[in-house]
Amino acid sequence: MDVVSLDHFAPCVGEGFDIDMGTGSLALTLAEASPLPVQNLSWLRRTPFSLLFRSGSLIVLPQRTYRLKHARLGSIEVFLVPVARDRSGILYQAIYN
């Protein structure tokens, strides 16, 4: 994938991704893939979008770039930011603009 887009991720909502932690992995689920508002930015290579991943782990990972693995998309590097915690775990967000 040269330029990732919402079309790559939208079919993967509800599916699992693994963060490669070097000595192991951490499972995430893609909870949401949604477009971001755009105003007269026709020159952009893609429509901006947001991804929300959920982790069942109680451990909060720091914001940084992680290598994610997915059965269909393969391996992709994603900058994740922890944005919320609830009873189900931690939510991480990635923004592409």
Side-chain angles (χ1 to χ4, degrees):
M1 269 184 281
D2 184 30
V3 176
V4 296
S5 70
L6 180 59
D7 293 337
H8 290 108
F9 288 97
C12 302
V13 172
E15 295 181 0
F17 286 74
D18 289 319
I19 295 180
D20 183 356
M21 303 298 287
T23 58
S25 64
L26 177 68
L28 298 177
T29 300
L30 181 58
E32 182 181 299
S34 54
L36 295 174
V38 178
Q39 296 180 4
N40 288 335
L41 298 175
S42 59
W43 53 270
L44 290 176
R45 292 176 66 187
R46 66 172 161 234
T47 300
F49 64 98
S50 168
L51 303 174
L52 283 177
F53 293 91
R54 179 177 299 282
S55 166
S57 173
L58 298 177
I59 299 168
V60 179
L61 299 175
Q63 73 177 29
R64 71 178 189 119
T65 301
Y66 293 93
R67 180 174 300 277
L68 301 185
K69 294 180 182 177
H70 181 263
R72 207 171 33 253
L73 298 178
S75 182
I76 183 169
E77 292 195 4
V78 178
F79 187 80
L80 295 176
V81 177
V83 293
R85 179 191 304 237
D86 62 18
R87 284 182 264 150
S88 300
I90 310 297
L91 280 174
Y92 296 91
Q93 185 175 36
I95 299 286
Y96 288 85
N97 43 13

